[in-house]
Amino acid sequence: MATLGPDDESFELKQDQELRFEVENAPIEIEVTSGLAEIFGVELVKSKKYLFPIGAKGAVFTWQGCAITMKNARKNMTYVSKDTTPMNYYMNVHIILEKQRDEAENDSKRGPITMIVGPQDVGKSTLCHILLNYAVRMPGLNRKPIFIDLDVGQGEISVPGTIGALVIERPATIEDGFSQLAPIVYNFGHLTPTANMDLYQHCVERLWKSVDERMNKDAKTNASGMIINTCGWIKGDGFKCLLACAKRLRVDNILVLDQERLYQELKRDLPKTTDVVLLHKSGGVVDRTRQYRSEARDKRIKEYFYGSRLKPFNPHSFDVKFGEVQIYKIGAPVLPDSCMPLGVTATDFLTKVVLVQPGPSLLHHLLAMSFATTEQEIIDTNIIGFVCVTNVDMQRQTISVLCLQARPLPCTKLILTDIQYMDSN
């Protein structure tokens, strides 16, 4: 074992203990020297060194006990938790879901569809990761659950402003998370469902139809069910949104994190056939500031175009003539009821596809790419990716775009989003 430096530290964790860390001042390197440990359901390989950059937060948990060395521990926030970890409760949930998957497989039925809800910063995404990793780590069962992310504010499967689904076939990696092979992504184009509730629910319905079709084609995926992450908006219209999503996605189980009132409201308003369970959040969960969330969104978009430290991408930058593409936006200003044409409702305006004339207002916006052939297909069809507008030249009638593939664009129909990114590379 390497000699510890003055800022390094070694930890002996007992059974069911958790080592929490926040990387604030210098990257942390973690190595398990004996025993077994995991981070959010991902098993750590003994004697392998894992590097966590500034801004990273996590918790090393052990079921049986382990020894860990951590470089730069004293330069950052690191401590062994003294409070009771909720991991035993999470394991009990996993065991119940496994029984439901076994029953579904034996009866050739659909597996458990589980939605995780709660306010901001209670660990919803973390619990999703834990349950998905535990499912695919089951030896010899070949579980393939579908992860659905409805949190448009952060965008874990694609960029912020989208909802998506991903078949999980193997555990995540510490460095890059889950494999992003062949996701289904629908463009919403805003950072909160409040921006256009009708469009949001339409996207959820279209996502369900795509996922339902995929599950019907694969018995293992069908029996493995779904794990669904949601936004932290739970009051007023946010609660109505959760109820609508639960109905559209045919949810069987709802796990409520750290919000007893929400638990009681869901128990009251959902069908008795839906199991609603209240769980405690981890004591290591920290509140994230608005600035942190904004920086996290920028980081996620940057990773979309440029990749990660271990898997860098080399995006292309090129000009596109105005006449080579058609740019649309979804949603037109809603008129007062007295001005509405006969038979037209506000929903028709909120999901209306409008052609946009290229101009300086496109600068730094993300544009979703679509293989749609008609305007109706633009809101009904999943997208194939994004480009970022880095320059608009009105004199030359061109826009400069950042794109993952070389010229030309794979499609001619682009959808304007409210998501902006300032490319500094």
Side-chain angles (χ1 to χ4, degrees), residues 242-260:
L242 283 179
L243 290 177
C245 288
K247 180 180 179 181
R248 280 180 165 83
L249 297 173
R250 285 65 166 173
V251 169
D252 303 307
N253 312 300
I254 293 188
L255 308 179
V256 184
L257 282 175
D258 199 48
Q259 182 63 249
E260 186 171 2

Side-chain angles (χ1 to χ4, degrees), residues 340-410:
M340 290 280 191
L342 187 63
V344 176
T345 65
T347 303
D348 297 321
F349 281 83
L350 292 170
T351 57
K352 183 177 177 62
V353 178
V354 181
L355 188 65
V356 175
Q357 294 301 318
S361 61
L362 296 179
L363 187 61
H364 305 310
H365 281 264
L366 296 191
L367 305 178
M369 296 185 288
S370 174
F371 279 145
T373 57
T374 66
E375 289 189 356
Q376 181 59 39
E377 286 183 357
I378 286 176
I379 64 170
D380 288 345
T381 308
N382 58 295
I383 57 172
I384 60 172
F386 287 87
V387 298
C388 180
V389 180
T390 57
N391 187 49
V392 179
D393 190 326
M394 295 302 294
Q395 186 173 357
R396 296 176 54 228
Q397 297 283 285
T398 63
I399 58 173
S400 301
V401 297
L402 185 69
C403 184
L404 285 176
Q405 76 169 51
R407 177 199 311 270
L409 289 175

Side-chain angles (χ1 to χ4, degrees), residues 157 165-170 178-184 214:
I157 292 177
L166 190 65
V167 178
I168 307 298
E169 299 188 48
R170 59 187 63 85
F178 292 111
S179 170
Q180 297 286 316
L181 185 64
I184 303 173
R214 179 170 292 190

